[in-house]
Amino acid sequence: MMAIRPVLEIDALSLAAKSNKKLVDNVSFSLSKGETLGLVGESGSGKSLTLRAILGILPRGIEQVGGTVKNEERSAMVFQDPRGSLDPLCPVVKQLTEVVYYRQRLSRRASRKAALELLHMLGLPASLQTSDRYPSQLSGGQCQRVVIAMALACKPGILLCDEPTTALDVTVQKQIMETISALQVELGFAMVFVTHNLAIAAAMCSKLCVMKEGKIIEQGNTLSLLQNPQNPYTQMLMNSVLPVPELEGSD
Amino acid sequence: MGAALQVKNISVHYGGFTALDSINLDLPKHTTLGLVGESGSGKSTLARVIAGLVVPNEGQVLLGPELLKRKRSREQHKKIQMIFQNPDASLNPKHSIRQILSEALLFHRIVDRAQVGTRCKELLARVHMDESALDRYPHQFSGGQRQRIAIARALSVEPSVLIADEPTSALDVSVQRSVLDLFSKLKSELDLTLLFISHDLGVIHEISDTVAVMKQGRLVEINDKDQFFSRPETAYSRELLSAVPRMPNLKPSGGFHEPRT
């Protein structure tokens, strides 16, 4: 018997292009409240499509041909390219206020207040309160924080992250990862985290699914999967994480 | 061992913004210098200055004993070649691979028109690609293969200095490894001097002999690779290194353990 009801259940999901080419084949996993699941794999393995299927925003020409997606809670997504997912012609506080206004159904004034609170929670400068800025006037890391704030403004039960740190520098990547983890503890959302970097997946996720060519070839608890990979492809992915030696006197 | 390339006191300003602030750098012959830094630190600008694509406001670049002037000769251009991050954007989509490779060969008069075909095949073999690729177009190849073609084109004119600006960032991790292996092999076979730019410290560790760190247009540290990774001199390098996500310790405790190097 399941102790906790899963908030997201995907059962034998299959997606295909118009040409009948299977892009995602028989993918199943489930996610409980507050849990983080990592989807790892290389480009073209169907990670992002799986996420889009959960949100119901499949690209034109791709259809769900089988399986079910059951989500109990609202989901929101953070995309890889922060600049590309913000409106370049709208200042960020205004953009975020818009999302809060429509999703949380507050008054205009209360929406703005909630938006500023969210931005503060994500560690953006307080100066935004007095002078709103356009996405091009913020750094990549700051833009990604705004995007995460927008996703959180939907009060999601499930946060879908599609390579949220790939376009960022290592130091910023570390900050964003820490921010996401802290927010998860605070707000208790479940998370699906897509990445091609196993080291990041290992740090963020409790469960892992390794995808290749549209199929899940291995899944399980992160640590045991990495300690004892069964599939040669998983092994290959692990070997391709280039090691950086430990710093002396770092611990 | 002399320096293959010397950068002396280079500064570049874009309007009021200082992209490079008096950079001094020596590349000894047949070594690989790994250049790291965050985005906006001036890595690519430095590469472009060396390749002659950006004219610096101050300072000079020396190729061996030769001073590179504002207007470079064809020979000087040939000696320094560059590979870019995005192979999709650096290969002309309307040219077949044969056209892409032979254009540089003919422009720099490396071989006679009659021998271009054979030379193209040799170049492809050098980057481990089949010669049937010659009559195909860039979009018919994967990202890793396209990057190999870009490498073959850069090598076709027999440069002495090769600049690689984030050549593996757009590639999958499994392909990244094979491209890095290719770089090390070519470097020893062809006696190249390599300037390798990356923000990925794992990649830099794999390929470099020396590491240079840039921050906001300045060089903050130049150090031997092993020194840099175990005992960085500056706080900024330490911060960079400690931000790298690492795999958890997967070895069960006790038993055989590789000694730290």
Side-chain angles (χ1 to χ4, degrees):
Chain A
M1 209 189 92
M2 290 286 286
I4 317 161
R5 245 164 76 89
V7 289
L8 174 71
E9 227 176 339
I10 293 185
D11 188 34
L13 177 74
S14 296
L15 304 172
K18 280 260 163 62
S19 59
N20 257 339
K21 189 174 180 288
K22 277 264 172 83
L23 298 171
V24 169
D25 193 6
N26 204 9
V27 164
S28 312
F29 57 79
S30 70
L31 191 64
S32 322
K33 195 172 184 324
E35 199 178 34
T36 307
L37 176 108
L39 284 181
V40 291
E42 297 188 276
S43 46
S45 60
K47 312 182 296 277
S48 300
L49 276 181
T50 309
L51 281 199
R52 280 167 169 270
I54 297 173
L55 210 56
I57 47 163
L58 285 173
R60 185 181 290 231
I62 294 175
E63 279 165 7
Q64 188 172 339
V65 290
T68 50
V69 177
K70 253 196 285 180
N71 41 2
E72 300 282 312
E73 304 223 23
R74 281 207 272 195
S75 44
M77 186 148 162
V78 177
F79 294 90
Q80 174 171 359
D81 173 20
R83 286 248 162 72
S85 40
L86 290 171
D87 180 354
L89 299 176
C90 182
V92 292
V93 179
K94 198 172 162 213
Q95 271 186 67
L96 184 60
T97 307
E98 198 94 323
V99 178
V100 177
Y101 178 74
Y102 282 104
R103 297 305 294 258
Q104 299 188 15
R105 302 191 175 280
L106 299 172
S107 71
R108 288 277 178 197
R109 182 175 299 228
S111 309
R112 190 180 151 81
K113 194 158 162 276
L116 287 167
E117 264 167 26
L118 268 172
L119 289 175
H120 178 72
M121 189 158 84
L122 279 146
L124 280 150
S127 65
L128 281 173
Q129 197 160 354
T130 46
S131 64
D132 205 348
R133 286 195 267 172
Y134 289 93
S136 58
Q137 294 170 312
L138 297 172
S139 71
Q142 285 174 324
C143 282
Q144 192 61 290
R145 284 167 199 270
V146 174
V147 173
I148 295 170
M150 279 175 131
L152 294 178
C154 308
K155 301 244 172 190
I158 308 159
L159 186 67
L160 309 171
C161 299
D162 189 1
E163 308 249 14
T165 61
T166 310
L168 307 174
D169 286 320
V170 273
T171 43
V172 184
Q173 166 172 291
K174 192 180 177 197
Q175 292 163 10
I176 295 280
M177 281 165 65
E178 283 166 357
T179 309
I180 294 179
S181 310
L183 287 171
Q184 193 183 19
V185 172
E186 201 179 315
L187 306 174
F189 50 79
M191 188 152 71
V192 183
F193 201 92
V194 166
T195 176
H196 66 269
N197 187 327
L198 268 178
I200 295 174
M204 298 291 291
C205 312
S206 50
K207 286 202 290 187
L208 276 187
C209 295
V210 182
M211 289 187 75
K212 185 193 181 189
E213 292 160 11
K215 294 192 177 75
I216 291 185
I217 53 166
E218 195 166 358
Q219 65 176 313
N221 179 289
T222 304
L223 210 58
S224 56
L225 188 142
L226 292 179
Q227 262 164 358
N228 195 6
Q230 299 298 317
N231 196 294
Y233 182 74
T234 313
Q235 188 79 55
M236 190 282 297
L237 274 183
M238 286 174 66
N239 290 338
S240 59
V241 175
L242 298 169
V244 175
E246 290 292 324
L247 277 170
E248 264 176 34
S250 60
D251 27 37
Chain B
M1 205 159 54
L5 190 88
Q6 283 173 287
V7 172
K8 286 190 173 164
N9 208 23
I10 290 277
S11 295
V12 172
H13 308 286
Y14 293 132
F17 178 74
T18 308
L20 292 180
D21 191 2
S22 35
I23 302 283
N24 286 292
L25 192 64
D26 283 8
L27 259 72
K29 271 183 189 149
H30 318 314
T31 59
T32 303
L33 179 84
L35 191 56
V36 289
E38 301 192 27
S39 45
S41 61
K43 309 184 293 287
S44 297
T45 307
L46 181 58
R48 282 164 180 272
V49 167
I50 294 171
L53 300 172
V54 169
V55 178
N57 295 83
E58 282 167 50
Q60 46 198 221
V61 181
L62 278 85
L63 179 67
E66 232 177 308
L67 178 67
L68 296 178
K69 299 226 178 64
R70 182 172 279 260
K71 188 119 175 69
R72 294 186 186 179
S73 68
R74 191 178 280 203
E75 183 67 16
Q76 287 169 335
H77 268 301
K78 196 194 82 175
K79 284 284 182 212
I80 303 178
Q81 288 295 323
M82 189 159 168
I83 294 161
F84 297 89
Q85 172 168 3
N86 189 346
D88 309 358
S90 49
L91 300 175
N92 187 336
K94 293 185 96 175
H95 282 187
S96 68
I97 306 306
R98 185 190 301 276
Q99 282 170 301
I100 288 170
L101 291 177
S102 50
E103 191 175 16
L105 288 173
L106 292 171
F107 179 81
H108 286 291
R109 303 198 189 93
I110 305 292
V111 288
D112 290 333
R113 200 165 271 278
Q115 288 157 355
V116 164
T118 36
R119 178 55 70 92
C120 286
K121 285 176 193 163
E122 282 169 27
L123 285 168
L124 284 182
R126 182 133 261 164
V127 295
H128 308 294
M129 284 187 65
D130 197 67
E131 56 185 57
S132 65
L134 277 178
D135 292 309
R136 289 157 71 190
Y137 290 85
H139 73 267
Q140 294 172 299
F141 296 96
S142 68
Q145 287 172 317
R146 270 180 245 167
Q147 200 57 287
R148 283 169 195 271
I149 294 164
I151 295 170
R153 179 178 59 178
L155 295 175
S156 67
V157 298
E158 295 156 10
S160 61
V161 176
L162 189 62
I163 304 171
D165 189 358
E166 307 255 11
T168 62
S169 307
L171 306 178
D172 272 328
V173 277
S174 59
V175 186
Q176 165 169 298
R177 171 139 251 159
S178 66
V179 171
L180 287 180
D181 289 345
L182 178 66
F183 267 111
S184 342
K185 198 178 121 255
L186 291 173
K187 186 195 140 210
S188 53
E189 276 176 9
L190 303 173
D191 277 347
L192 287 170
T193 306
L194 201 57
L195 174 64
F196 200 99
I197 300 178
S198 182
H199 66 274
D200 186 332
L201 286 156
V203 171
I204 293 290
H205 180 253
E206 187 78 13
I207 199 149
S208 316
D209 301 310
T210 322
V211 180
V213 186
M214 287 189 74
K215 186 194 182 186
Q216 291 166 3
R218 290 164 186 274
L219 267 178
V220 293
E221 179 169 350
I222 305 176
N223 212 335
D224 179 65
K225 177 182 88 176
D226 295 330
Q227 280 277 343
F228 172 77
F229 279 98
S230 55
R231 288 180 297 279
E233 276 165 14
T234 54
Y236 179 67
S237 312
R238 190 167 277 275
E239 187 192 333
L240 271 185
L241 283 169
S242 55
V244 180
R246 288 160 207 271
M247 291 290 275
N249 191 7
L250 298 171
K251 295 196 187 74
S253 50
F256 176 73
H257 194 281
E258 277 178 349
R260 268 193 198 174
T261 45

